[in-house]
Amino acid sequence: EVQLVQSGAEVKKPGESLKISCKGSGYRFTNYWIGWVRQMPGKGLEWMGIIYPADSDTRYSPSFQGQVTISVDKSISTAYLQWSSLKASDTAMYYCARGYAPFDPWGQGTLVIVSS
Amino acid sequence: DIQMTQSPSSLSASVGDRITITCRASQGISNYLAWYQQKPGKVPKLLIYAASTLQSGVPSRFSGSGSGTDFTLTISSLQPEDVATYSCQKYHSAPFTFGPGTKVDIK
């Protein structure tokens, strides 16, 4: 069974750094892109970017370029989404998903709360 | 960048009704369009890709159509388990933007 399992919920303060993860299993991890999607409270889905694990080729949405970093460690079939300095406006659910497009399946989501 | 809009933003219908949701792209995207269903508190699920191809396991009451700039998602007979938000996504060229979503509930 193809599965993406994300790291647990995080509560951080503004200005702190954070790296969340997404581990793939049940398929050859390096053969499929992994994408990240943000969903702010009560809002719609926002495409953040994608990465190809085989060579780390990464594409970002202009809205998120420079705000986050997408990376991968193919040796452990894990993709990452990281922030160097969180803002309160980064509070959201973050999903990873398999595929260049469309996305299928999706991880269970990681809730990130940024509050002083 | 290509913008995606959806209409209506929400709708309420009776069990058994046929409902249609529209997704529009600001420029032509051929058939590079997917539809997702997100039930309350749940993870999004792929329903349809390539505008009209049903993902494996998705009930046949769901269908998609369109090409270019105008697309539709139809539920032929609305069921209680279809209460969800439906979002389109274009993947013609990055960024692969999602539409704002259409919330569907039962009258």
Side-chain angles (χ1 to χ4, degrees), chain A residues 37 39 43-47 50 59-62 95 100-104 106-109, chain B residues 1 34 36 38 42-46 48-49 55 87 89 91 94-100:
Chain A
V37 176
Q39 187 167 39
K43 302 298 184 183
L45 305 170
E46 299 176 87
W47 188 87
I50 50 175
R59 320 281 173 88
Y60 290 96
S61 164
Y95 294 101
Y100 181 76
F103 286 153
D104 181 69
W106 294 53
Q108 84 277 19
Chain B
D1 290 345
Y36 297 87
Q38 187 176 24
K42 301 297 186 182
V43 176
K45 172 188 169 184
L46 175 66
I48 287 169
Y49 61 94
Q55 175 70 344
S87 301
Q89 181 197 24
Y91 53 98
F96 298 157
T97 312
F98 291 92

Side-chain angles (χ1 to χ4, degrees), chain A residues 70-81:
Chain A
I70 295 171
S71 61
V72 68
D73 184 341
K74 60 185 179 183
S75 70
I76 55 171
S77 301
T78 300
Y80 301 97
L81 178 66

Side-chain angles (χ1 to χ4, degrees), chain A:
Chain A
E1 179 196 5
V2 175
Q3 264 195 314
L4 296 175
V5 178
Q6 298 185 228
S7 49
E10 302 273 1
V11 180
K12 307 292 275 187
K13 290 182 168 34
E16 291 185 331
S17 63
L18 176 64
K19 191 174 190 177
I20 63 175
S21 67
C22 169
K23 183 174 176 61
S25 63
Y27 71 101
R28 188 177 294 271
F29 186 73
T30 49
N31 281 10
Y32 292 84
W33 293 75
I34 292 281
W36 288 94
V37 176
R38 182 175 79 175
Q39 187 167 39
M40 299 177 77
K43 302 298 184 183
L45 305 170
E46 299 176 87
W47 188 87
M48 301 177 73
I50 50 175
I51 189 165
Y52 191 58
D55 61 5
S56 294
D57 183 9
T58 309
R59 320 281 173 88
Y60 290 96
S61 164
S63 299
F64 293 95
Q65 179 88 48
Q67 308 304 308
V68 297
T69 301
I70 295 171
S71 61
V72 68
D73 184 341
K74 60 185 179 183
S75 70
I76 55 171
S77 301
T78 300
Y80 301 97
L81 178 66
Q82 68 180 90
W83 296 259
S84 59
S85 181
L86 287 159
K87 302 184 280 286
S89 57
D90 292 318
T91 293
M93 181 72 81
Y94 293 88
Y95 294 101
C96 66
R98 190 184 77 160
Y100 181 76
F103 286 153
D104 181 69
W106 294 53
Q108 84 277 19
T110 296
L111 178 62
V112 174
I113 297 172
V114 184
S115 174
S116 54

Side-chain angles (χ1 to χ4, degrees), chain B:
Chain B
D1 290 345
I2 297 173
Q3 304 304 314
M4 306 300 293
T5 57
Q6 286 184 234
S7 60
S9 57
S10 65
L11 68 86
S12 187
S14 300
V15 172
D17 281 356
R18 179 185 183 90
I19 68 163
T20 297
I21 298 167
T22 297
C23 175
R24 181 161 291 159
S26 60
Q27 298 174 39
I29 58 170
S30 185
N31 69 334
Y32 292 99
L33 188 99
W35 288 97
Y36 297 87
Q37 174 194 62
Q38 187 176 24
K39 296 183 179 181
K42 301 297 186 182
V43 176
K45 172 188 169 184
L46 175 66
L47 292 180
I48 287 169
Y49 61 94
S52 61
T53 302
L54 212 60
Q55 175 70 344
S56 176
V58 174
S60 59
R61 63 180 179 275
F62 291 91
S63 64
S65 65
S67 183
T69 59
D70 294 321
F71 303 86
T72 59
L73 171 70
T74 298
I75 306 176
S76 60
S77 177
L78 187 67
Q79 300 302 303
E81 61 267 31
D82 300 334
V83 169
T85 297
Y86 294 86
S87 301
C88 60
Q89 181 197 24
K90 67 96 170 169
Y91 53 98
H92 174 265
S93 56
F96 298 157
T97 312
F98 291 92
T102 295
K103 188 174 181 180
V104 173
D105 63 26
I106 302 291
K107 198 180 291 183

